[in-house]
Structure formats: C-alpha cells, structure tokens
Amino acid sequence: MAIDPKLEADLKSQGVHVTSFEQLINWGRSSSLWPLQFGLACCAIEMIAATMAKYDMARFGAEVFRPSPRQADLMIVAGTVTKKMAPQVVRLYNQMAEPKYVIAMGACAISGGPFKDGYNVLKGIDRFIPVDVMIPGCPPRPAALLEGLMTLRDKIAREKLIGRHRARHADPEGAAEVPVPEFGAHDLEPTANREIWNPPVVVREAGGEA
Amino acid sequence: MSAETVIERLREALPDAGVSLRKNPGPSCQHSLLVNAASLLDVCNVLRDTLAFDLLSNVTGVDWPDAAKADAVALPAEGEGTSSAGGFLEVLYHLYSTSRREGPLVLRARTVDREKQNQIPSVVAVYRSAEFQEREIFDLYGVEFTGHPDLRRILMWDEFEDHPMRKDYVAPDDYDYEPTPHDAVLEKARAHYPAAP
C-alpha cells in the first residue's frame, strides 16, 4: 500500500508529489497544534517564554494559544495540579474537541514532583487523563518544551487513521471523555482512573532490600 | 515600646483582660502577650486605638496536642500560671505600628480544647486584614472564629473534613509507584507490596 520510497523520490525530482490522505491529514494536524491557554504554576512561565521571540514556538505552528477548550487541540499541563484543581483540568480536557493531545510539562504534572507527598497535590495528571508526551524538568527549559512538541508532532505524523492500530480519536469506540473525579471527605474520589492509569507493579522481597 | 510596657498599658486600660507575658528564651527575645480568648477583641481595640498598633501583618495557628510543650516554648513570666492539661489550639497575631515604626507585637490566644470548644473571637471587626487568614486557620487547623463574616474553607474544598496542619492529621494512604524507595518511603512501599506468590 505504501509507495516505494525510490519511486516517490524520483517523482518528487520531476515535480510530482505523491502522498496518502493519512499522511496529508496527519501533516495538517501536526503542523497547526493550537494549545489551550492555561498555566498552573512556574512551568507556565517557561511555556510563555517558549512562545516568545527567542524560542518562538510559532516555528512549529503551535503559537495560537486559545482561551477556549473548544478551539484547542493540545493541552499543556504546565505545573502542579492540586487536588482542588484536578477536576477542573479533567473537565477542560473533556470539553476539548477531538483529536486532542496532552503534554504533561514538568515533574509536578508527571508525578507530583517535589510536592508528591503533600496531602493536597495530585500525583500526576496521568491518573485522570491520557498523556501523550511527558517532559521532565523542574521546570523544563523552553527548549525542552519545544523538544516535547516535536516529539508529539512525530507521534501525530505516525498515527494510523484506519485499521486495527488506529488512533484513539479515529476509533468510534474510543473514549472522548474521561470521568471527572469528585471532591471527597478526605481525598479525591476516585483517586485515579484505573482504566487509563496502570502503574507498574513491582514485586520485591517483603523483608529484603529494595 | 517593649512588650513589658504594652502589658502595663493594657492592664491600666483593661484590668480584667487577663493578659500575661510569655518570655521567649531564645536570642531573638521576642516576647509575646497571652490574651484570654474572651477579651481578645477588647485588647485589639485598645492596641489599635490607644497604642497605635494599626497593622495586623500576620495571623497563624499552632496546634498543641500536649499543653505542657506550649509552655516549654514560651515561658510564663514570674508569677504567671501555666496552661491546664490537655491540648489546645493557639492563634498568633503579629501587630505592627506604622506610625511609630514598631513591631512586631505578638499576641497569642488559646482555645479551651481541640475538639468542641475550639472557638476564638474573630478580629475582623478590628483588623480587616485578618479575614482571609482566619479562614485559612479555620481550614487548616479547625479553629472556629466566632463573629467572622464569611467563615468557609479557603484552600481545601468545601467537602473536605480534616484539618491538615494538625499534628495528628494522617494524609490519605495513596501509595505511588517508587522506582528506588528508601528509608521511610521504603517502609511505606513495603506495606503496599503485592502478596508473594
């Protein structure tokens, strides 16, 4: 089904561009990611810096920060997600139109970071929403955010739109919404969405060293 | 104006206020005034209007499950009594005088106990700046400020029931995957190991 690369190169040298709809659609999607405009903590400052002239996220077509989730393709979770804020973040994700992607930026959004033992901090936004790219750092430099953005672009460019391995948003049965956690008496309820969050189970000797 | 001078002026103005001096034995020598919760508003009125302590800069709480420890930190001056047995909650106020460029003057007020009798009069009527800080203390320590105009939780959500800054608060046991646990985290991780096959 895929075109022979040599033939494609030969045709290209003659001014004929051959492609597939899948590649064309993915190229369009990956080249104009519109991020949702919100920041939660200090990572947001680096995110802002990444859009400014020195780093210039516009080179990758991702400079149009939208103040409405209805117009956004990409959620950059930039900062510490407190348990009080988590339901609002999940609700914003649910309100975004498909296809939608999530970047967890910084140690806090990935795992709770330095605050993970706090009673009020969510131990990673991937407990509630599916995360495509995680960018480590505290906070990550703007260049790291650009690297994460390019990683996401590569991921989108490889997406399958039909067939068994198609992307979630191309699957009619793929979930567009995730459950929003409720405020409980002691913690969020539930504390994680087990359908999308499955940490590795490490079996160690109960009495031995780790 | 030292804490000793302030306490003399307070005793002249309010003979039954029950204000006593707590000595700070540390190098800062930042002595504080322990005020009966019942007369806290009167004391604040005198401090603001007569002694020109016009700025309430900070309000914070302390949880004392063991009352004896509270008096080991701030020693009572000669002839003053110590607190009774059982724990209590304490609220601290830091007052400044902007006109005399002085401060801080530290006030303490104590609740009777940590559970039912956890009331302290709100000073919002005297110092408006106390409003959000008293809400925070209500949220995190569980001190009930009587007369507060809008006493709700400010940091945690309304459905939350605990008071996280209390000494006996236990955070939810929400174990997270640790690649290299050690020390206390290892102990915690052990409790969550899956049963050996």
Side-chain angles (χ1 to χ4, degrees):
Chain A
M1 189 153 146
I3 187 167
D4 176 19
K6 186 170 179 303
L7 177 62
E8 188 184 350
D10 283 350
L11 286 167
K12 206 170 196 172
S13 67
Q14 299 301 314
V16 180
H17 195 81
V18 185
T19 185
S20 65
F21 274 114
E22 192 172 81
Q23 278 179 351
L24 189 66
I25 288 169
N26 286 344
W27 170 75
R29 280 182 178 161
S30 65
S31 304
S32 67
L33 284 168
W34 288 9
L36 182 57
Q37 183 182 20
F38 82 109
L40 296 173
C42 32
C43 282
I45 305 300
E46 302 296 306
M47 181 176 75
I48 295 161
T51 64
M52 295 289 132
K54 186 168 179 182
Y55 294 95
D56 197 11
M57 217 152 100
R59 291 177 294 159
F60 307 97
E63 82 281 18
V64 193
F65 277 78
R66 305 309 295 183
S68 161
R70 303 289 187 204
Q71 302 168 349
D73 311 303
L74 168 63
M75 174 184 254
I76 302 177
V77 184
T80 318
V81 187
T82 58
K83 286 177 181 168
K84 196 172 177 182
M85 194 66 187
Q88 278 73 263
V89 174
V90 176
R91 199 166 283 126
L92 281 173
Y93 175 79
N94 285 345
Q95 288 171 347
M96 286 165 66
E98 294 279 14
K100 52 190 171 187
Y101 305 95
V102 177
I103 288 179
M105 181 182 181
C108 294
I110 294 172
S111 69
F115 313 111
K116 83 180 276 183
D117 286 330
Y119 58 88
N120 58 337
V121 173
L122 186 70
K123 298 180 176 74
I125 193 63
D126 57 336
R127 288 180 168 229
F128 290 114
I129 60 180
V131 175
D132 294 284
V133 176
M134 295 189 179
I135 307 172
C138 187
R141 304 252 324 146
L145 178 59
L146 294 184
E147 168 76 17
L149 187 72
M150 287 192 288
T151 308
L152 181 66
R153 281 164 55 98
D154 291 346
K155 192 175 173 178
I156 296 172
R158 290 196 310 271
E159 266 182 0
K160 296 273 179 279
L161 301 183
I162 50 172
R164 203 154 58 84
H165 298 293
R166 63 193 158 186
R168 177 187 50 80
H169 57 79
D171 185 352
E173 311 219 325
E177 290 199 1
V178 289
V180 180
E182 301 277 330
F183 289 131
H186 306 286
D187 203 348
L188 289 176
E189 288 172 6
T191 54
N193 180 357
R194 291 285 162 179
E195 285 182 15
I196 58 169
W197 184 72
N198 290 297
V201 176
V202 182
V203 180
R204 295 189 180 92
E205 294 284 327
E209 293 299 311
Chain B
M1 192 182 284
S2 69
E4 286 88 350
T5 325
V6 171
I7 204 166
E8 271 174 35
R9 301 282 295 273
L10 275 175
R11 279 175 177 158
E12 283 168 23
L14 302 164
D16 343 315
V19 187
S20 62
L21 188 67
R22 299 278 139 169
K23 292 262 188 192
N24 183 339
S28 72
C29 279
Q30 201 175 70
H31 308 315
S32 52
L33 305 183
L34 180 65
V35 183
N36 273 346
S39 50
L40 179 65
L41 267 181
D42 295 336
V43 168
C44 284
N45 266 318
V46 171
L47 287 176
R48 187 190 63 178
D49 298 336
T50 315
L51 302 181
F53 282 99
D54 48 5
L55 173 68
L56 176 63
S57 141
N58 178 43
V59 188
T60 189
V62 189
D63 180 21
W64 294 109
D66 182 5
K69 282 193 179 156
D71 287 320
V73 172
L75 299 173
E78 290 295 315
E80 307 279 359
T82 56
S83 50
S84 58
F88 52 82
L89 300 162
E90 191 171 71
V91 182
L92 277 137
Y93 304 83
H94 285 193
L95 299 172
Y96 285 81
S97 171
T98 54
S99 54
R100 282 188 287 108
R101 293 170 183 261
E102 262 186 28
L105 177 75
V106 186
L107 288 187
R108 296 160 175 260
R110 293 172 174 180
T111 65
V112 179
D113 64 26
R114 298 166 76 241
E115 304 308 324
K116 293 277 177 234
Q117 291 174 285
N118 59 344
Q119 291 86 8
I120 285 198
S122 165
V123 298
V124 174
V126 187
Y127 297 108
R128 187 66 202 270
S129 60
E131 184 175 344
F132 278 13
Q133 303 195 57
E134 287 186 351
R135 278 180 65 185
E136 186 177 343
I137 298 165
F138 166 73
D139 188 352
L140 301 183
Y141 289 92
V143 178
E144 196 181 317
F145 290 94
T146 50
H148 192 283
D150 182 25
L151 196 63
R152 287 177 295 134
R153 286 186 180 271
I154 192 170
L155 295 175
M156 306 304 286
W157 50 89
D158 291 339
E159 294 86 349
F160 197 71
E161 287 177 1
D162 305 331
H163 302 294
M165 290 294 278
R166 286 200 183 186
K167 301 281 186 192
D168 51 4
Y169 172 73
V170 181
D173 183 23
D174 186 12
Y175 174 67
D176 198 17
Y177 163 67
E178 284 282 345
T180 55
H182 52 84
D183 299 338
V185 183
L186 176 60
E187 289 303 314
K188 195 176 171 188
R190 279 212 180 103
H192 290 266
Y193 286 166

